[in-house]
Amino acid sequence: MSVYRTGRSPYCHFDFQWRGHRFHGSTKCTTRREAEKVEAAERDKAKRLVAQLAAAKTSLRIDDIAERYWQEVGQHHAGADGTEHQLALLIQFFGKDKLITEIAGDDVAKLVAWRRGHRRKTSRSSTARLISPHTANHTTKLLRTLFARAKLWGVRFDHEPRWSKYFLAVPPERVRELSDDEAERLEASTRDDYAPFFAFARASGLRLKECFLRWSEVDWTAREIRKTGKGGAHITVPITPTIREILWPLRGHHPEFVFSYVCQRRGAGPHAGRIKGQRYPLTYQGVQTYWERLRKRAGVVGFRFHDYRHDFASKLLRATGNLKLVQEALNHRDIKTTTRYTHVLKSDVAEAMERVAAESRNRSRSGTVRNLKPLARQG
């Protein structure tokens, strides 16, 4: 019989094989009759699992699912580092041997609660803050993606979580514009070697990660910058006279990267070997650190680096009134994302309403004058 007792446990255990796979464990039951019911249920579960394995031709361990997804898809993402980090978080939470078919809604709820308790340091500051709901949702979305990918591999889920229940509400993203005075203070406080990078960010509207250009992405002949952006999308930025004026003097500073900085002191620690006075490529972390210091020096409050993108979009929409054009400039896939900037047209709407009202008043006055003229002749 596959149900038995051991002297070390008060519970009955099961141990059986199905098509070359061994299944064993505790039934958590003390009576044989109850244990046999559990064993029968485990046999049914084992049959379904072996059938899924045969159909999917893949391991169902979350570690193996994550590795296959990484090899087929994740490593090719524009933000591959972020994808790798999120996969590591899933493996850390569930454990390497957790079967993806065993993940239920309660497990996802616990994952979300676990992520909400995570804190993130800001640059080199010792201050840590809780991650945002938007960041926590990234982990849940990737787990949902793994489920979808597993289905393509032939895996079937008896009780897939209802994903919409587990996404945290994200407050609408605020749109912050840069005033002329703030722009002047930031420009005056920026080091000369960092100035082209920030000028380019403001002139192009690109995201921070997209601003780190390579010379191979700059096509002077076609007057375009072509590179891979968020989500692997191919983005194109026209080299306007303003952008050309920013980039052209940077030729010769570095053979591969467009934006570089001048080392201020001899390198130490992770930067050991760097020579004072030499140029090195700007990095994501380096720019974030410098940005925090720059804002403090300039006395600019409540303006994030990403707000350069909002500032660019708001001013472009106000100048053109063309939402589709702004969508193309920001490389948004869905115009719904671009509609967050329609607030800048409210003043135009107010002006248009006032013009309509004024025209109505003029027509009313004209009609009154025409009606009064016959009466004047009769008198």
Side-chain angles (χ1 to χ4, degrees):
M1 295 292 292
S2 60
V3 174
Y4 62 93
R5 282 183 179 275
T6 65
R8 294 171 296 179
S9 172
Y11 302 120
C12 295
H13 288 65
F14 66 89
D15 192 337
F16 61 86
Q17 288 195 4
W18 178 257
R19 294 187 176 176
H21 297 272
R22 184 188 176 197
F23 299 89
H24 58 94
S26 174
T27 64
K28 301 296 182 182
C29 299
T30 55
T31 66
R32 188 173 191 83
R33 177 174 295 180
E34 292 298 321
E36 288 176 347
K37 291 180 180 177
V38 172
E39 189 261 356
E42 289 293 333
R43 281 184 178 272
D44 289 339
K45 182 179 176 180
K47 291 176 182 178
R48 292 196 300 271
L49 180 60
V50 172
Q52 287 181 338
L53 285 169
K57 297 180 181 179
T58 188
S59 166
L60 298 180
R61 295 169 65 247
I62 190 70
D63 187 48
D64 295 327
I65 292 287
E67 176 61 24
R68 182 172 175 182
Y69 175 79
W70 171 256
Q71 294 296 334
E72 294 184 4
V73 181
Q75 65 175 326
H76 305 296
H77 286 167
D81 290 346
T83 301
E84 186 176 26
H85 174 65
Q86 294 296 334
L87 289 172
L89 287 172
L90 291 174
I91 294 170
Q92 179 185 347
F93 178 76
F94 289 113
K96 292 183 177 182
D97 296 324
K98 179 78 169 180
L99 302 184
I100 194 170
T101 51
E102 293 179 347
I103 297 175
D106 288 346
D107 300 306
V108 180
K110 292 174 183 176
L111 170 68
V112 173
W114 178 70
R115 282 294 280 141
R116 293 192 76 173
H118 283 195
R119 292 181 177 273
R120 178 174 56 188
K121 287 186 177 181
T122 57
S123 188
R124 296 180 182 175
S125 170
S126 59
T127 305
R129 63 186 182 195
L130 289 172
I131 63 172
S132 67
H134 179 73
T135 301
N137 285 342
H138 280 319
T139 311
T140 310
K141 287 179 180 178
L142 183 56
L143 180 60
R144 182 180 64 178
T145 300
L146 293 185
F147 269 70
R149 196 72 184 180
K151 290 177 186 177
L152 294 178
W153 299 332
V155 178
R156 294 294 175 264
F157 298 94
D158 294 332
H159 305 288
E160 182 175 354
R162 292 178 58 189
W163 299 104
S164 59
K165 292 174 55 178
Y166 305 107
F167 287 113
L168 301 175
V170 178
E173 188 173 10
R174 65 182 177 82
V175 176
R176 168 78 152 82
E177 290 188 60
L178 191 66
S179 69
D180 291 340
D181 176 63
E182 288 174 325
E184 289 174 3
R185 280 186 280 143
L186 283 171
E187 186 175 349
S189 303
T190 305
R191 265 172 45 179
D192 290 344
D193 49 350
Y194 276 81
F197 183 86
F198 289 101
F200 175 75
R202 191 178 183 193
S204 66
L206 291 180
R207 301 174 181 88
L208 174 55
K209 285 186 178 180
E210 297 168 347
C211 287
F212 296 93
L213 302 180
R214 297 173 185 267
W215 286 116
S216 59
E217 297 167 336
V218 180
D219 187 337
W220 295 111
T221 304
R223 297 182 182 179
E224 286 183 343
I225 297 168
R226 292 187 290 269
K227 65 177 299 164
T228 303
K230 183 179 179 181
H234 296 289
I235 61 175
T236 302
V237 179
I239 299 179
T240 63
T242 298
I243 290 178
R244 180 184 174 85
E245 187 178 339
I246 295 168
L247 301 185
W248 190 259
L250 306 181
R251 294 170 306 136
H253 285 180
H254 192 275
E256 182 179 1
F257 295 95
V258 174
F259 299 108
S260 60
Y261 72 99
V262 178
C263 185
Q264 301 293 300
R265 60 181 67 87
R266 189 175 65 181
H271 302 301
R274 295 195 176 179
I275 303 171
K276 181 179 179 181
Q278 292 284 348
R279 280 191 172 270
Y280 298 93
L282 287 179
T283 64
Y284 183 82
Q285 188 62 43
V287 169
Q288 283 189 315
T289 301
Y290 182 77
W291 171 243
E292 288 190 15
R293 295 172 180 168
L294 174 60
R295 283 190 308 172
K296 290 179 182 177
R297 264 200 313 271
V300 174
V301 180
F303 189 82
R304 308 161 303 171
F305 188 94
H306 193 72
D307 288 325
Y308 272 125
R309 182 170 171 85
H310 295 324
D311 179 72
F312 169 83
S314 299
K315 288 178 169 57
L316 183 60
L317 182 58
R318 186 175 290 112
T320 65
N322 189 331
L323 196 63
K324 185 66 178 176
L325 183 149
V326 177
Q327 178 194 5
E328 292 295 326
L330 295 179
N331 294 285
H332 283 161
R333 294 178 180 176
D334 191 341
I335 199 168
K336 290 181 181 178
T337 308
T338 319
T339 56
R340 76 181 69 172
Y341 301 106
T342 54
H343 72 283
V344 304
L345 299 178
K346 288 181 179 178
S347 59
D348 295 338
V349 171
E351 292 174 5
M353 290 172 62
E354 186 59 27
R355 286 198 300 272
V356 170
E359 290 174 2
S360 296
R361 288 194 297 271
N362 290 336
R363 285 196 298 269
S364 178
R365 291 195 191 99
S366 298
T368 301
V369 171
R370 283 196 300 269
N371 291 334
L372 288 175
K373 283 182 179 179
L375 293 174
R377 284 197 295 271
Q378 289 176 8

